[in-house]
């Protein structure tokens, strides 16, 4: 076997081991998982998640996922907790411990302190019979038969299992809270993801010039309007209402078909019943319409009146596409 084949073989073996471990997790779920979710959902406090080593890294990711989906959470490193950070735990907070073995020295020191404070404890551990498993109020079993590491030492499969259980917790809580896409947008205002959730058509079209001509506009007036407004299109408007659209393509097709263009007006060239979208619609809905009808511009309307144009380039610029 050559080097590339060996590498691919190892990678596939790693993926298979972790896939099988994740699949096995569903068989380890018990009523304790549901009870732990209900405990967090009904709590007046926050979720404090702690761990040591690689488990601590997983804890930070779970904290981030919970916070972004409506469940207030704080990361507390187990080592730092016993050197002053224990003070961040408040009366109604729930503490989640993440530990594969459930027997690390820091965990053994920290658990009695949490019990003395009477905070509820949830354990995410691969050993229910461990010290942590015996002391916690709820145990979420993340047992794995072996790590993907060939020496069965480096946390690989076990940390993946911890991560998946954390995601399962977050999604269950999300559904209990009825967490909607609008709620999600509040917590993700930045980047392309946030823009897909909160950016509206008016946020884009209001930045563009507003090309429009009347139905009796001459061919020259139409060409000048399209050229000056630089969107490759103009609306044909009568008493503020959209009655048609003229695109660069419409002009080219008209010029190729007509022998006499001197008497043509906008109403002779325009396409009737153009695609339009409300300025209050989400920008991502404009994207869907453009894709569905294979067009690059949409006219924008507000309360039955022409309000502007949104262009495919606007969506690209904002990262919607």
């Amino acid at each position: 076997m050559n080097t590339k084949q060996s590498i691919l073989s190892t990678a596939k073996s790693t993926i298979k081991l972790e896939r099988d471990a994740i699949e096995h997790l569903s068989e380890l779920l018990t009523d304790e998982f549901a009870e732990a979710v209900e405990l967090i959902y009904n709590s007046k406090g926050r979720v404090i998640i702690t761990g040591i080593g690689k488990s601590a890294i997983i804890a930070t990711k779970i904290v981030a996922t919970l916070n972004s989906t409506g469940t207030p959470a704080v990361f507390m490193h187990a080592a730092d907790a016993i050197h002053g950070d224990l003070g961040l735990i408040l009366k109604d907070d729930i503490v989640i411990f993440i530990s594969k073995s459930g027997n690390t020295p820091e965990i053994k020191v920290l658990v009695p302190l949490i019990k003395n404070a009477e905070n509820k404890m949830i354990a995410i551990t691969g050993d229910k019979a461990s010290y942590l498993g015996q002391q916690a109020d709820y145990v979420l079993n993340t047992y794995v038969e072996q790590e993907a590491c060939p020496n069965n030492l480096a946390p690989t499969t076990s940390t993946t299992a911890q991560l998946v259980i954390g995601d399962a917790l977050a999604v269950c809580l999300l559904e209990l809270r009825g967490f909607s896409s609008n709620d999600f947008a509040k917590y993700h205002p930045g980047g392309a993801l946030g823009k897909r959730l909160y950016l509206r058509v008016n946020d884009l079209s209001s930045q563009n010039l507003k090309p429009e001509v009347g139905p009796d506009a001459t061919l020259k007036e139409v060409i000048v309007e399209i050229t000056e407004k630089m969107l490759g299109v103009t609306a044909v408007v009568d008493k503020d209402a959209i009655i048609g659209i003229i695109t660069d393509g419409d002009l080219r097709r008209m010029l190729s078909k007509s022998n006499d263009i001197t008497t043509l007006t906008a109403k002779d060239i325009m396409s009737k019943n153009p695609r339009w979208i409300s300025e209050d619609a989400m920008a991502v809905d404009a994207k869907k319409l453009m894709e569905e009808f294979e067009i690059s511009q949409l006219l924008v309307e507000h309360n039955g009146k022409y309000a502007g144009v949104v262009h495919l380039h606007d969506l690209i610029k904002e990262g919607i596409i």
Side-chain angles (χ1 to χ4, degrees), residues 90-111:
L90 304 178
K91 178 183 176 182
D92 294 321
D93 291 343
I94 296 165
V95 182
I96 298 179
F97 291 82
I98 304 180
S99 174
K100 177 187 176 182
S101 70
N103 290 310
T104 57
E106 293 83 359
I107 295 294
K108 287 187 174 181
V109 173
L110 186 54
V111 164

Side-chain angles (χ1 to χ4, degrees), residues 72-86:
V74 178
F75 169 69
M76 179 183 69
H77 196 283
D80 293 336
I82 58 180
H83 291 283
D85 283 4
L86 199 59

Side-chain angles (χ1 to χ4, degrees), residues 181-182 184-186 188-208 277-288 310-321:
S181 59
N182 288 334
F184 199 80
K186 294 176 185 177
H188 299 76
L193 175 60
K195 288 178 180 179
R196 289 175 67 90
L197 294 169
Y198 74 77
L199 203 65
R200 296 188 180 274
V201 168
N202 182 57
D203 297 322
L204 303 176
S205 62
S206 62
Q207 303 301 312
N208 294 330
I277 191 167
S278 168
E279 68 174 13
D280 295 325
M282 304 305 294
V284 70
D285 293 328
K287 169 183 173 289
K288 292 176 183 176
V310 60
H311 196 285
L312 180 68
H313 293 161
D314 301 326
L315 301 176
I316 295 172
K317 180 180 177 181
E318 294 294 340
I320 304 298
I321 295 178

Side-chain angles (χ1 to χ4, degrees), residues 99-286:
S99 174
K100 177 187 176 182
S101 70
N103 290 310
T104 57
E106 293 83 359
I107 295 294
K108 287 187 174 181
V109 173
L110 186 54
V111 164
L113 301 174
I114 303 300
K115 287 185 75 72
N116 288 340
E118 298 184 349
N119 293 88
K120 291 292 185 180
M121 295 190 300
I122 299 171
I124 297 178
T125 181
D127 186 356
K128 294 190 69 174
S130 66
Y131 175 79
L132 176 61
Q134 293 297 312
Q135 297 297 316
D137 297 294
Y138 303 91
V139 179
L140 310 184
N141 192 354
T142 53
Y143 170 78
V144 296
E145 288 190 8
Q146 69 179 98
E147 300 287 5
C149 164
N151 299 314
N152 198 29
L153 294 174
T156 45
T157 312
S158 59
T159 47
T160 300
Q162 293 167 355
L163 189 63
V164 170
I165 284 295
D167 284 344
L169 276 174
V171 173
C172 289
L173 288 164
L174 180 155
E175 290 195 351
L176 282 176
R177 297 186 195 286
F179 199 79
S180 68
S181 59
N182 288 334
D183 296 317
F184 199 80
K186 294 176 185 177
Y187 295 99
H188 299 76
L193 175 60
K195 288 178 180 179
R196 289 175 67 90
L197 294 169
Y198 74 77
L199 203 65
R200 296 188 180 274
V201 168
N202 182 57
D203 297 322
L204 303 176
S205 62
S206 62
Q207 303 301 312
N208 294 330
L209 296 173
K210 186 182 173 184
E212 64 178 288
V213 295
D216 296 321
T218 65
L219 176 60
K220 179 180 178 180
E221 290 172 330
V222 170
I223 294 173
V224 169
E225 184 70 1
I226 291 176
T227 302
E228 288 185 347
K229 300 303 170 62
M230 299 181 294
L231 291 169
V233 66
T234 185
V236 182
V237 179
D238 187 19
K239 296 179 181 178
D240 293 330
I242 298 169
I243 62 171
I245 188 173
I246 301 174
T247 67
D248 283 336
D250 292 327
L251 289 176
R252 287 193 295 272
R253 284 186 289 273
M254 176 274 301
L255 290 170
S256 67
K257 293 179 181 178
S258 300
N259 294 320
D260 182 10
I261 61 174
T262 58
T263 61
L264 291 176
T265 62
K267 64 176 176 288
D268 301 318
I269 308 167
M270 70 182 189
S271 298
K272 298 179 180 179
N273 302 316
R275 305 296 175 187
W276 61 271
I277 191 167
S278 168
E279 68 174 13
D280 295 325
M282 304 305 294
V284 70
D285 293 328

